[in-house]
């Protein structure tokens, strides 16, 4: 078979080496982007007077047919014909359909910029889908927060009980991280929004192409600054992989929290039967497999980022075939991320809060900060209050008791500032109600945060 570059060679490439270098197996995912880029390029060539109106019309018609066939027939864009990559596939199909006019399409253009434009077009259409999948996960958290109502739980630092919080406050903490992921993808979209065409193989193109018009036609707002840079630039792939890695780190931490909080030891939430699996041996087991898999898959996405940075780091300026490695990393990261978002959404959607259990864990010595604040309100410097309460905690630990079991006289043994009002002041509910700042767990602040998240959700792109 003749390849796009066969003219220069006396013999055929080694079949195994050709297969080794071929990317069609995975870059056929760029099919519609490649056709789109080629349609715009043909129109650009025609506007520049390089293609006759007749040839341009034939190319447009041929590419439209190819796109249609690709959409209608799932078996059409397949590696059966021995094409090297998706660009070769589309060009061969075009020439088969329209002959000579098709052979003029590649005038002034290179696959080096073609693959760059395809990948950018691909991300421009796929990133919004990933953003929607993140928003759908946030929606499940919001729904669970509504169901949790005014339930309390402990918050943790060092995985030791820290202070009481509303369960909804904990749930919204994960929404905050997920919203950053949406924003980060917005920044990747901005980076991607640059037209590489007009760069040729590396030095630019010798035809008077109106790149501004081409950018407009393809929906890019900026033109690449430098043709050499275009040829070898895959920074935007690294940026996407970074966004995906952090997104997966967030999902992994979510998974870890719910693996813990649905365990017998915590029991703050009950996992739905649909989101768990049993043991082949131990009849009592209800395992959180989907969450464990999400946590596990984060490793491979972080691996794609690391691998890709290492691939880029030693490359000389301009295109190098190493760059072909970008696509499998990118596609797998995207698939893994979206798959994990769906899994997490479904697990979160099936959780039942166990308010009684989590509230029980939110009472006891984790109110120590509130006791110290009580003394501060009576005028004691905080550092002194901390010491008083520290001693009190030591005593209670020795005696196996908690604050609410102390008599007024026992309180006063530790400080004369403790009045009879201390009993009502030191409860989990009083603790959250005392919080004052907008990012705190005060019920008013959490209600506002929940409303804000719902507002944000309503402003996200609707599902297609
Ligand atoms: N399949 C190639 C890639 O993914 C397309 C660019 C090929 N360019 C070249 N000069 N061989 O990078």
């Amino acid at each position: 078979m003749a390849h796009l570059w066969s003219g220069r060679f006396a013999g055929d490439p080694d079949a195994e080496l050709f297969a080794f270098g071929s990317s069609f197996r995975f870059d056929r995912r760029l099919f519609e982007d490649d056709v789109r880029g080629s349609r715009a390029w043909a129109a650009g060539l025609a506007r520049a007077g390089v293609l006759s109106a007749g040839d341009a019309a034939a190319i447009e018609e041929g590419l439209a047919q190819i796109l249609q066939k690709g959409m209608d027939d799932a078996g059409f864009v397949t590696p059966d014909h021995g094409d090297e990559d998706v660009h070769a596939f589309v060009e061969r199909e075009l020439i088969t359909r329209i002959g000579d006019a098709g052979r003029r399409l590649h005038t002034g253009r290179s696959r080096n910029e073609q693959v760059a434009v395809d990948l950018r077009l691909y991300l421009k259409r796929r990133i919004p889908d990933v953003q929607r999948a993140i928003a759908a996960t946030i929606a499940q958290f919001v729904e669970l927060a509504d169901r949790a109502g005014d339930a309390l739980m402990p918050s943790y630092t060092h995985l030791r009980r820290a202070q009481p919080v509303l369960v909804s406050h904990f749930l919204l903490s994960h929404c905050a991280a997920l919203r950053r992921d949406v924003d980060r993808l917005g920044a990747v979209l901005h980076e991607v929004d640059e037209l590489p065409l007009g760069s040729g193989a590396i030095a630019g193109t010798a035809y008077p192409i109106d790149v501004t018009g081409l950018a407009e036609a393809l929906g890019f707002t900026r033109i690449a600054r430098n043709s050499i840079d275009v040829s070898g630039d895959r920074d935007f792939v690294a940026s996407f992989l970074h966004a995906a890695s952090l997104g997966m780190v967030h999902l992994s931490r979510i998974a870890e929290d719910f693996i813990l909080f649905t365990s017998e030891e915590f029991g703050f939430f009950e996992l739905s039967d649909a989101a768990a699996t049993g043991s082949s041996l131990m009849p009592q087991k209800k395992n959180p497999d989907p969450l464990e898999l999400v946590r596990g898959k984060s490793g491979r996405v972080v691996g794609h980022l690391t691998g890709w940075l290492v691939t880029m780091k030693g490359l000389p300026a301009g295109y190098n075939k190493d760059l072909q490695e970008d696509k499998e990393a990118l596609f797998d990261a995207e698939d893994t991320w979206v798959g994990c978002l769906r899994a997490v959404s479904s697990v979160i959607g099936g959780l039942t809060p166990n308010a009684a259990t989590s509230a029980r864990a939110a009472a006891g010595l984790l109110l120590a900060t509130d006791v110290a604040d009580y003394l501060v309100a009576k005028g004691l410097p905080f550092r002194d209050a901390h010491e008083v309460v520290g001693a009190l905690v030591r005593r209670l630990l020795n005696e196996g008791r908690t604050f609410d079991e102390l008599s007024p006289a026992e309180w006063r043994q530790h400080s004369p500032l403790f009045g009879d009002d201390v009993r009502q002041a030191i409860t989990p509910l009083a603790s959250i109600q005392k919080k004052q700042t907008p990012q705190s767990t005060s019920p008013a602040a959490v209600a506002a945060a929940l409303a804000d998240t719902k507002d944000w959700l309503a402003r996200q792109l609707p599902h297609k």
Side-chain angles (χ1 to χ4, degrees):
M1 161 174 190
H3 299 294
L4 297 174
W5 33 258
S6 289
R8 185 240 178 272
F9 294 89
D12 287 336
D14 176 81
E16 204 178 316
L17 283 179
F18 182 79
F20 177 69
S22 160
S23 55
F24 192 36
R25 204 170 21 89
F26 45 86
D27 69 12
R28 62 204 188 89
R29 191 150 159 164
L30 300 173
F31 168 70
E32 67 173 88
D33 309 292
D34 197 70
V35 173
R36 192 158 168 233
S38 288
R39 286 169 93 164
W41 182 249
L45 283 176
R47 274 200 305 278
V50 180
L51 276 184
S52 70
D55 282 349
I59 291 174
E60 167 57 27
E61 172 60 24
L63 288 172
Q65 276 175 20
I66 290 169
L67 183 62
Q68 194 57 49
K69 184 146 167 66
M71 298 294 165
D72 296 346
D73 174 0
F76 175 54
V77 192
T78 55
D80 300 348
H81 313 275
D83 294 300
E84 186 182 357
D85 53 26
V86 67
H87 325 296
F89 169 83
V90 172
E91 196 172 316
R92 183 184 50 71
E93 285 291 333
L94 183 67
I95 293 168
T96 305
R97 279 175 174 70
I98 65 168
D100 265 359
R103 302 176 70 84
R104 295 188 201 276
L105 169 63
H106 211 57
T107 312
R109 178 179 77 163
S110 146
R111 275 189 296 162
N112 298 349
E113 54 182 342
Q114 208 180 339
V115 67
V117 82
D118 288 6
L119 216 44
R120 285 172 185 270
L121 287 172
Y122 175 83
L123 284 172
K124 274 163 83 75
R125 72 184 164 86
R126 295 298 276 243
I127 285 176
D129 287 346
V130 183
Q131 289 174 314
R132 272 187 281 267
I134 300 171
T137 307
I138 293 175
Q140 291 302 329
F141 272 101
V142 163
E143 217 243 325
L144 181 58
D146 275 336
R147 277 187 283 131
D150 54 9
L152 292 169
M153 66 181 277
S155 58
Y156 295 83
T157 60
H158 311 263
L159 201 57
R160 303 295 191 266
R161 285 181 192 171
Q163 297 181 341
V165 291
L166 284 165
V167 168
S168 47
H169 191 54
F170 160 69
L171 297 171
L172 286 170
S173 74
H174 285 304
C175 295
L178 293 171
R179 279 174 67 169
R180 284 197 296 277
D181 294 334
V182 172
D183 291 345
R184 198 169 290 107
L185 279 173
V188 179
L189 261 183
H190 176 78
E191 182 176 355
V192 159
D193 186 17
E194 192 170 290
L195 178 80
L197 293 179
S199 300
I202 185 156
T205 188
Y207 301 90
I209 300 294
D210 167 20
V211 285
T212 307
L214 207 50
E216 256 165 51
L218 287 171
F220 289 101
T221 56
R222 303 186 310 274
I223 314 288
R225 291 196 182 95
N226 179 294
S227 64
I228 300 175
D229 178 52
V230 163
S231 182
D233 169 32
R234 294 294 184 280
D235 288 3
F236 63 96
V237 172
S239 297
F240 180 85
L241 291 174
H242 175 254
S245 296
L246 257 183
M248 284 299 300
V249 165
H250 292 153
L251 293 183
S252 181
R253 295 184 68 177
I254 288 168
E256 173 63 10
D257 271 353
F258 287 96
I259 289 168
L260 287 174
F261 292 160
T262 57
S263 69
E264 291 95 332
E265 276 68 19
F266 287 84
F268 298 167
F269 301 89
E270 181 67 27
L271 212 51
S272 77
D273 285 1
T277 42
S279 157
S280 61
L281 176 69
M282 299 167 281
Q284 86 285 7
K285 290 299 287 290
K286 185 174 178 186
N287 295 330
D289 289 29
L291 293 174
E292 294 167 84
L293 265 179
V294 166
R295 190 179 55 189
K297 283 176 191 291
S298 62
R300 86 192 234 179
V301 176
V302 174
H304 286 316
L305 171 63
T306 310
W308 181 241
L309 291 172
V310 175
T311 297
M312 287 204 304
K313 76 172 261 301
L315 299 182
Y319 179 82
N320 297 273
K321 186 78 165 185
D322 316 45
L323 293 175
Q324 180 166 288
E325 288 290 295
D326 59 357
K327 282 170 281 295
E328 284 168 295
L330 180 71
F331 298 154
D332 186 66
E334 178 201 351
D335 291 347
T336 304
W337 191 5
V338 171
C340 288
L341 283 164
R342 297 224 169 94
V344 167
S345 291
S346 138
V347 173
I348 299 297
L351 289 174
T352 309
N354 283 334
T357 308
S358 63
R360 225 176 298 124
L365 295 178
L366 84 175
L367 298 172
T369 316
D370 300 284
V371 180
D373 283 336
Y374 174 95
L375 291 174
V376 167
K378 304 274 172 174
L380 199 63
F382 178 77
R383 195 45 60 209
D384 299 333
H386 191 286
E387 250 169 66
V388 170
V389 182
L392 180 51
V393 166
R394 193 154 18 97
R395 168 192 181 168
L396 290 173
L397 281 171
N398 277 333
E399 297 173 357
R401 300 162 73 203
T402 54
F403 295 118
D404 53 347
E405 294 163 52
L406 287 168
S407 70
E410 286 173 316
W411 277 109
R412 270 188 284 277
Q413 285 166 6
H414 289 265
S415 166
L417 294 173
F418 285 123
D420 291 343
D421 56 345
V422 69
R423 257 194 106 92
Q424 308 98 277
I426 306 305
T427 68
L429 186 61
S431 170
I432 64 162
Q433 282 171 339
K434 275 210 206 83
K435 301 293 182 290
Q436 309 271 345
T437 46
Q439 68 270 51
S440 75
T441 194
S442 98
V446 174
L450 193 54
D452 172 72
T453 309
K454 287 176 182 174
D455 262 20
W456 178 89
L457 276 172
R459 279 183 274 115
Q460 295 316 292
L461 305 166
H463 270 278
K464 278 192 294 195

